[in-house]
Each structure stands twice: as structure tokens, then as C-alpha cells.
């Protein structure tokens, strides 16, 4: 029987509540499909930082390398200055474990409300492959004469050919494997960022023409991408883009698919240890109330199991999520609806876990 070692990073705010349900559902899938999950929990986050001054000990990074995957709740604490925990935990794990892909599916499930008029599940089903290791996130840059009228601030977009190539390779392979419309769109800004996105565009067409003649290539400027994601989301199959643009367009993607309550993502090192997370924040004002929809975290668990090669288990979680959405137990996405209809984070997790055992 396969046994997977999973590190749990519940994090801050409502992170622990949703992660509990993500694990519950993954364990239900493990029981059904005959494998097991051994979890180890780490308490990195705002509370630990406030109590000890420590964000993430160096030893933790080496420990995290020993797992088959990492499952994260949420990072972000209202009493900690923005950036400390995000950089010190989330970005540090991404960088040190070289999780150079951020895979973010944008899929509208039945009965989930999208703000896009006249669009349904048949129109909204694409995936963003966000480069996850470089760009403006490298920290290259600096500040001088801070606080004076002559302050200079600079934070550069930096890409090496290798970083671009390895991301494109993943995106082309993913598009081929997905086998939906076999179309990969590069989202860039070649009309202004004439160094960085010129590099991306050349690399994209070179690799595509050479190694992936079966994959159709498209190019969109990033601003136009946001426009078409809203107007014609059905145009997209897989979108590949740099880290900063990917960050921005996937928040739009999350809204298009019905909100942060359903949006999941994977920070993937195809050759190493990957980390899966609901992409929403820690929603501190709801902490402990049990009113946050755990579906995004449950879907992140689905991605985690698929990444480990448990395709059937992943598929069962997706089916269970859909069955739940079509059942009368589904209260709606928002905290308000969950509260009003007498549902809860745990009840949603229980219901989906039950469907996993039977769908
Ligand atoms: C995300 C988040 C992070 C990012 C923040 C919290 C550092 O917005 O995962 O999209 O910018 O990547
Ligand atoms: Mn983001």
C-alpha cells in the first residue's frame, strides 16, 4: 500500500479550519483507493512569530524537503506587518524548494455563481501556468534616500532563459496532457517590456515549433488577457505567463470561477517537493467561526493527490465536489450563506468526504 508523507502548514486565520477539511477529504479518498497519508503539522505563521520572533527556522526548509508534498492553509496575520509572513514563509518555501510553477485552474463548477453574465461551466475551464520563481519576486532592486523627496525605489523584473524555458516546457507538456483544445497562450507585454517578454516570446515560439508542433500557440498582451478572460473566457485552454502577471490574472481568474472559496493552486517543482494551497487569504475576521467555505482547500487536496499520481482519487474528489454542489446540502459560497443556512466549514467537509466514499 502506497503511503505518502504530507507536511501540513495550517498557517494563520481560517487556514487551519479549511486545511482540516482538505485533509479530511483527502483521507477519505485514500481509504477508498487503498493508499495512506501520514501527516505532520507545523505551526509556522503569525501567532508563532508574535510569540517567538521566528518566522521559519532554516531547519524547517530541510525538513520540508523530506515530504512527498506540502499542504498549506493560509498565510497572513492582521497583527504582523504585510510582507513578513508572506515573504518569510510562503515565498521562502516556494523559492527554496524551487517550486517554479504555480498551477492555477480556473474552472466553474455547476451551481457556482460567476459574476460573468451568460457564462456557464462550458465556457469557463482553463488553466493558468504562472512562473513562480523569478520576475519582480526575486527581490533584485533596492531603495535609496528613503523617506526623502528624492527617494529612489526599484524592483526589477528578472528572467533567465533557463527559467523561462523550464516554465514553458511545463506549460507545453501540461497542455498536451490536458488534451482539451491543445492551445497554449502566452500572456506578456511585448509592446512595453521589450526585453523580458521578448525573451519569453522568442523562447515560446522556438520551443513550440521545435518540440510541440501539435500545440497551437497564441499570444495576448496581459492587459488584453484580463479583458478576454471576462468577455470570452471560452477562448482559453492554457495560459502561461510570468510571476507578476500570473499573480494578478489568477485573482481575476478566481473571481471568474466563483470566488476565492473555490480557487485552488499548486506550487510545483516537477523534480522535487510541491506545495498545494487554496489561493484565498487567511480571512482573519472569520477565524474560528467555521463559516469559510473549505472547497478551495479540498480542491487543492485533489491537485495534491493527482500530483502524487493518485489520479483516481483526485477524480473522485472532483466528482464529490460536484455532487455536493448539486445536492441540497450546498449552502452557497459565502460566509453569510454558510451561516444563514446553518451549514459550516466542517459540515461541508463532512458532506464532501461522504460523497468521496460513494461517487
Ligand atoms: C499568491 C499571493 C502571494 C503572491 C503573496 C501572498 C506573497 O498573492 O499566492 O498569489 O503574490 O504570490
Ligand atoms: Mn496573489
Amino acid at each position: 500500500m502506497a503511503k505518502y508523507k504530507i507536511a501540513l502548514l495550517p498557517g494563520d486565520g481560517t487556514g487551519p479550519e479549511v486545511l482540516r477539511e482538505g485533509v479530511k477529504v483527502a483521507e477519505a479518498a485514500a481509504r477508498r483507493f487503498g493508499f495512506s497519508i501520514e501527516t505532520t503539522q507545523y505551526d509556522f505563521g503569525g501567532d508563532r512569530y508574535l510569540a517567538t520572533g521566528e518566522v521559519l527556522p532554516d531547519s524547517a526548509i530541510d525538513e520540508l524537503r523530506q515530504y512527498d508534498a506540502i499542504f498549506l492553509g493560509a498565510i497572513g496575520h492582521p497583527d504582523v506587518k504585510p510582507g513578513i509572513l508572506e515573504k518569510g514563509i510562503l515565498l521562502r518555501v516556494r523559492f527554496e524548494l524551487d517550486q517554479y510553477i504555480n498551477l492555477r485552474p480556473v474552472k466553474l463548477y455547476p451551481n457556482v455563481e460567476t459574476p460573468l453574465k451568460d457564462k456557464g461551466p462550458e465556457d469557463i475551464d482553463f488553466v493558468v501556468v504562472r512562473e513562480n520563481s523569478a520576475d519582480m519576486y526575486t527581490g533584485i532592486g533596492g531603495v535609496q534616500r528613503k523617506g526623502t523627496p528624492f527617494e529612489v525605489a526599484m524592483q526589477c523584473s528578472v528572467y533567465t532563459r533557463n527559467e523561462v524555458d523550464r516554465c514553458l516546457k511545463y506549460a507545453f507538456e501540461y497542455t498536451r496532457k490536458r488534451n482539451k483544445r491543445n492551445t497554449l497562450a502566452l500572456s506578456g507585454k511585448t509592446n512595453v517590456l521589450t526585453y523580458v517578454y521578448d525573451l519569453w516570446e522568442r523562447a515560446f515560439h522556438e520551443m513550440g515549433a521545435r518540440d510541440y508542433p501539435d500545440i497551437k500557440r497564441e499570444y495576448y498582451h496581459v492587459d488584453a488577457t484580463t479583458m478576454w478572460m471576462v468577455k470570452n473566457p471560452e477562448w482559453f485552454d492554457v495560459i502561461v505567463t510570468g510571476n507578476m502577471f500570473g499573480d494578478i490574472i489568477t485573482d481575476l481568474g478566481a473571481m471568474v470561477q466563483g470566488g476565492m472559496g473555490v480557487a485552488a493552486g499548486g506550487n510545483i517543482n516537477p523534480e522535487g517537493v510541491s506545495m498545494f494551497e487554496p489561493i484565498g487569504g487567511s480571512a482573519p475576521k472569520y477565524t474560528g467561526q467555521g463559516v469559510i467555505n473549505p472547497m478551495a482547500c479540498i480542491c487543492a487536496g485533489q491537485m495534491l493527490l493527482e500530483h502524487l499520481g493518485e489520479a483516481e482519487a483526485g477524480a473522485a474528489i472532483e466528482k464529490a465536489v460536484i455532487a455536493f454542489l448539486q445536492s441540497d446540502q450546498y449552502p452557497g459560497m459565502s460566509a453569510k450563506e454558510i451561516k444563514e443556512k446553518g451549514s459550516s466549514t466542517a459540515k461541508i467537509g463532512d458532506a464532501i468526504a461522504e460523497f468521496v466514499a460513494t461517487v
Side-chain angles (χ1 to χ4, degrees):
M1 184 169 84
K3 183 171 180 177
Y4 300 106
K5 282 170 41 198
I6 311 287
L8 302 181
L9 269 56
D12 302 311
T14 54
E17 299 163 44
V18 295
L19 188 61
R20 210 171 295 133
E21 305 313 312
V23 172
K24 185 189 284 175
V25 171
E27 280 173 344
R31 276 193 297 279
R32 170 151 178 210
F33 293 96
F35 59 92
S36 75
I37 292 172
E38 182 191 294
T39 58
T40 308
Q41 190 154 316
Y42 292 87
D43 66 349
F44 309 126
D47 289 336
R48 178 187 168 122
Y49 171 69
L50 291 170
T52 67
E54 186 171 62
V55 182
L56 190 72
D58 291 339
S59 60
I61 293 289
D62 287 325
E63 264 185 62
L64 290 174
R65 288 184 211 281
Q66 312 301 318
Y67 290 91
D68 293 305
I70 304 166
F71 202 178
L72 174 92
I75 297 293
H77 194 292
D79 302 335
V80 180
K81 202 172 132 218
I84 294 181
L85 302 171
E86 292 86 343
K87 280 191 175 171
I89 302 175
L90 188 62
L91 296 182
R92 181 144 179 241
V93 173
R94 286 180 184 171
F95 291 156
E96 295 223 22
L97 299 190
D98 204 15
Q99 295 164 341
Y100 60 87
I101 298 297
N102 197 326
L103 188 67
R104 297 190 162 179
V106 178
K107 187 166 182 176
L108 180 66
Y109 286 115
N111 290 341
V112 176
E113 215 176 307
T114 172
L116 302 191
K117 190 163 139 269
D118 301 331
K119 299 289 179 191
E122 62 290 355
D123 304 304
I124 299 170
D125 180 9
F126 60 93
V127 177
V128 179
V129 175
R130 164 186 173 190
E131 200 287 329
N132 208 33
S133 71
D135 204 351
M136 287 183 225
Y137 283 72
T138 53
I140 292 179
V143 61
Q144 285 198 333
R145 305 186 207 119
K146 191 167 177 173
T148 75
F150 308 101
E151 178 165 344
V152 184
M154 174 163 86
Q155 209 135 10
C156 303
S157 170
V158 181
Y159 268 111
T160 66
R161 175 73 192 233
N162 173 61
E163 284 162 344
V164 171
D165 275 343
R166 66 182 185 171
C167 176
L168 289 172
K169 178 164 187 271
Y170 182 90
F172 275 114
E173 293 287 341
Y174 186 88
T175 308
R176 188 183 265 170
K177 194 162 155 236
R178 173 172 155 93
N179 196 22
K180 189 171 181 238
R181 288 187 30 241
N182 290 299
T183 303
L184 179 62
L186 171 65
S187 182
K189 190 72 187 171
T190 53
N191 53 350
V192 176
L193 303 180
T194 49
Y195 308 132
V196 165
Y197 278 98
D198 177 64
L199 167 59
W200 274 88
E201 195 181 34
R202 277 182 287 117
F204 177 61
H205 290 301
E206 269 174 42
M207 185 180 287
R210 187 185 64 229
D211 300 333
Y212 304 94
D214 50 320
I215 305 297
K216 186 165 168 245
R217 275 168 275 139
E218 291 178 343
Y219 172 82
Y220 299 90
H221 293 319
V222 66
D223 45 353
T225 308
T226 62
M227 194 167 84
W228 300 125
M229 275 171 69
V230 171
K231 181 141 193 311
N232 296 107
E234 66 280 3
W235 284 1
F236 296 112
D237 181 11
V238 181
I239 300 175
V240 63
T241 189
N243 203 350
M244 191 73 254
F245 293 166
D247 177 46
I248 298 165
I249 69 170
T250 53
D251 266 27
L252 177 61
M255 285 302 126
V256 162
Q257 73 182 118
M260 288 297 183
V262 268
N267 301 277
I268 294 174
N269 176 342
E271 298 87 34
V273 182
S274 301
M275 173 168 71
F276 297 83
E277 53 171 335
I279 78 175
S282 57
K285 72 173 183 187
Y286 293 113
T287 306
Q289 293 181 32
V291 294
I292 290 294
N293 197 319
M295 280 174 48
C297 196
I298 290 168
C299 293
Q302 171 201 333
M303 294 178 75
L304 185 154
L305 295 184
E306 283 168 353
H307 180 79
L308 294 175
E310 298 293 345
E312 273 187 314
I317 294 181
E318 183 168 38
K319 271 198 217 153
V321 164
I322 293 171
F324 171 73
L325 288 167
Q326 291 174 326
S327 75
D328 53 14
Q329 297 177 71
Y330 171 52
M333 274 299 149
S334 68
K336 188 164 170 275
E337 288 165 300
I338 291 173
K339 213 184 294 183
E340 279 171 7
K341 304 238 169 86
S343 184
S344 74
T345 308
K347 279 185 189 168
I348 295 173
D350 286 341
I352 296 177
E354 217 165 290
F355 277 120
V356 163
T358 53
V359 285

Short mmCIF file of all heavy atoms in Angstrom, two decimals, residues 86 90-91 94 104 130 137 247, ligand 1:
data_model
loop_
_atom_site.label_atom_id
_atom_site.label_comp_id
_atom_site.label_asym_id
_atom_site.label_seq_id
_atom_site.Cartn_x
_atom_site.Cartn_y
_atom_site.Cartn_z
N GLU A 86 4.41 36.56 4.49
CA GLU A 86 4.28 36.17 3.08
C GLU A 86 5.66 35.85 2.51
O GLU A 86 5.86 34.82 1.86
CB GLU A 86 3.63 37.30 2.27
CG GLU A 86 2.16 37.57 2.61
CD GLU A 86 1.98 38.53 3.79
OE1 GLU A 86 2.93 38.74 4.57
OE2 GLU A 86 0.86 39.06 3.94
N LEU A 90 5.63 31.73 2.84
CA LEU A 90 5.12 31.29 1.54
C LEU A 90 6.17 31.42 0.44
O LEU A 90 6.50 30.44 -0.26
CB LEU A 90 3.89 32.14 1.20
CG LEU A 90 3.09 31.73 -0.01
CD1 LEU A 90 2.54 30.33 0.19
CD2 LEU A 90 1.93 32.70 -0.24
N LEU A 91 6.72 32.62 0.28
CA LEU A 91 7.67 32.82 -0.81
C LEU A 91 8.97 32.07 -0.54
O LEU A 91 9.60 31.54 -1.45
CB LEU A 91 7.94 34.31 -1.03
CG LEU A 91 6.72 35.13 -1.48
CD1 LEU A 91 7.10 36.58 -1.73
CD2 LEU A 91 6.07 34.55 -2.74
N ARG A 94 8.44 28.49 -1.53
CA ARG A 94 8.40 28.42 -2.99
C ARG A 94 9.80 28.50 -3.58
O ARG A 94 10.16 27.73 -4.49
CB ARG A 94 7.57 29.58 -3.57
CG ARG A 94 6.07 29.42 -3.39
CD ARG A 94 5.36 30.64 -3.98
NE ARG A 94 3.92 30.59 -3.75
CZ ARG A 94 3.09 31.61 -4.02
NH1 ARG A 94 3.55 32.75 -4.49
NH2 ARG A 94 1.80 31.48 -3.81
N ARG A 104 -2.70 27.11 -11.63
CA ARG A 104 -3.96 27.60 -11.11
C ARG A 104 -5.12 27.37 -12.08
O ARG A 104 -5.34 28.14 -13.01
CB ARG A 104 -3.83 29.09 -10.77
CG ARG A 104 -2.80 29.31 -9.67
CD ARG A 104 -2.78 30.70 -9.13
NE ARG A 104 -2.11 30.71 -7.83
CZ ARG A 104 -1.91 31.78 -7.08
NH1 ARG A 104 -2.35 32.95 -7.48
NH2 ARG A 104 -1.30 31.69 -5.94
N ARG A 130 1.50 29.84 -14.02
CA ARG A 130 2.21 31.06 -13.60
C ARG A 130 3.64 30.68 -13.23
O ARG A 130 3.84 29.80 -12.39
CB ARG A 130 1.47 31.64 -12.39
CG ARG A 130 2.26 32.66 -11.60
CD ARG A 130 1.50 33.09 -10.33
NE ARG A 130 2.35 33.93 -9.51
CZ ARG A 130 2.06 34.31 -8.27
NH1 ARG A 130 0.93 33.92 -7.69
NH2 ARG A 130 2.89 35.07 -7.59
N TYR A 137 9.59 39.13 -8.22
CA TYR A 137 9.64 38.47 -6.92
C TYR A 137 11.06 38.12 -6.48
O TYR A 137 11.24 37.62 -5.38
CB TYR A 137 8.78 37.19 -6.95
CG TYR A 137 7.29 37.45 -6.86
CD1 TYR A 137 6.60 38.01 -7.92
CD2 TYR A 137 6.58 37.12 -5.71
CE1 TYR A 137 5.23 38.23 -7.84
CE2 TYR A 137 5.22 37.34 -5.62
CZ TYR A 137 4.54 37.89 -6.68
OH TYR A 137 3.19 38.11 -6.60
N ASP A 247 0.26 36.38 -10.99
CA ASP A 247 -0.35 36.70 -9.69
C ASP A 247 -1.64 37.48 -9.92
O ASP A 247 -2.68 37.18 -9.34
CB ASP A 247 0.64 37.50 -8.84
CG ASP A 247 0.03 37.91 -7.52
OD1 ASP A 247 -0.59 37.06 -6.87
OD2 ASP A 247 0.17 39.09 -7.15
C1 LIG B 1 -0.50 34.42 -4.18
C2 LIG B 1 -0.30 35.52 -3.17
C3 LIG B 1 1.19 35.66 -2.89
C4 LIG B 1 1.88 36.03 -4.18
C5 LIG B 1 1.52 36.66 -1.77
C6 LIG B 1 0.75 36.39 -0.51
C7 LIG B 1 3.00 36.71 -1.50
O1 LIG B 1 -0.86 36.70 -3.60
O2 LIG B 1 -0.17 33.25 -3.86
O3 LIG B 1 -0.98 34.70 -5.26
O4 LIG B 1 2.00 37.21 -4.52
O5 LIG B 1 2.31 35.11 -4.88
#
